[in-house]
Amino acid sequence: MTTDASRTTAFTPAALQHLLTTGDGPRLLDVRTPGEFRTGHIPGAYNVPLDTLREHRMELGRHLDQDVVLVCRSGARATRAEEALAEAGLPNLRVLDGGMMAWEASGAPVNRGEQRWEMERQVRLIAGSIVLVSGVVGFFVPGVHLIGTAIGAGLTFAALSNTCAMGMMLAKLPYNRGPRTDIRSVIASLRNRA
């Protein structure tokens, strides 16, 4: 359980796998993008991207009366989702410790789909490419190297704030979006699960 003093209670992959195999499993909300979710997710998880969850947290809260485990790639987005749902008054929230990376590393089952580059890898490619190109062009055009400096400052801020503006922009590309999450379908599934 979560408390005001320590809202996020981590849930280990082993503990979650045990609960899922005994049939007493909590509801799983995967807050990654639809594209990330389609690449691989925990069997039985519902995909509710973080932005959608924030927008519909009150409506979701009315249908999440049991224990809920929030899942993302590493735990950062799931922690933000936990904060949003806790603000809506939802108890019994936990975050999968280490996210899908830890789940997969533990050898737990994953429903796999079309493989895509992870968001972090895409950010490294775009940021690295911009720095490389601005550095090379900077030999011929004075001041262009400052673009790479700005990217470096952005990445530093992203690390310190545990957010990533570039990742949020990349998540909006068609490659990463996949099919839009239909919140009504998710809520209907939650309602039908006894």
Side-chain angles (χ1 to χ4, degrees):
M1 272 192 202
T2 58
T3 65
D4 287 338
S6 172
R7 284 187 137 160
T8 302
T9 301
F11 208 55
T12 67
L16 178 57
Q17 191 169 6
H18 174 73
L19 282 179
L20 292 175
T21 56
T22 62
D24 296 331
R27 295 190 185 198
L28 304 173
L29 294 185
D30 191 319
V31 299
R32 297 174 300 153
T33 66
E36 290 174 292
F37 182 79
R38 279 190 356 193
T39 297
H41 61 272
I42 299 171
Y46 299 95
N47 183 222
V48 183
L50 182 58
D51 291 341
T52 303
L53 181 137
R54 285 179 174 153
E55 182 180 341
H56 297 278
R57 65 180 169 230
M58 298 304 286
E59 192 174 356
L60 282 166
R62 289 192 292 269
H63 302 286
L64 294 171
D65 54 352
Q66 301 170 337
D67 288 338
V68 175
V69 175
L70 299 157
V71 180
C72 67
R73 180 180 179 275
S74 64
R77 282 179 280 179
T79 299
R80 292 196 300 274
E82 187 272 342
E83 291 167 358
L85 289 173
E87 287 172 7
L90 197 64
N92 304 323
L93 299 168
R94 295 185 179 156
V95 172
L96 179 62
D97 190 27
M100 283 300 294
M101 292 179 3
W103 181 261
E104 291 184 69
S106 74
V110 175
N111 285 350
R112 298 233 181 255
E114 177 185 352
Q115 295 302 299
R116 299 167 183 257
W117 279 17
E118 293 178 356
M119 192 62 62
E120 182 180 318
R121 186 176 181 190
Q122 292 178 50
V123 168
R124 289 192 315 253
L125 173 70
I126 298 299
S129 297
I130 292 171
V131 170
L132 177 64
V133 169
S134 68
V136 170
V137 172
F139 284 119
F140 306 104
V141 180
V144 171
H145 71 282
L146 294 175
I147 295 171
T149 303
I151 294 295
L155 292 172
T156 301
F157 177 78
L160 293 174
S161 66
N162 203 20
T163 62
C164 185
M166 187 179 293
M168 289 186 275
M169 289 187 295
L170 288 171
K172 296 184 184 313
L173 294 175
Y175 173 80
N176 292 316
R177 281 193 307 221
R180 184 165 164 77
T181 299
D182 179 15
I183 195 67
R184 285 180 286 246
S185 296
V186 171
I187 289 173
S189 296
L190 292 170
R191 193 178 304 134
N192 292 334
R193 182 177 174 220

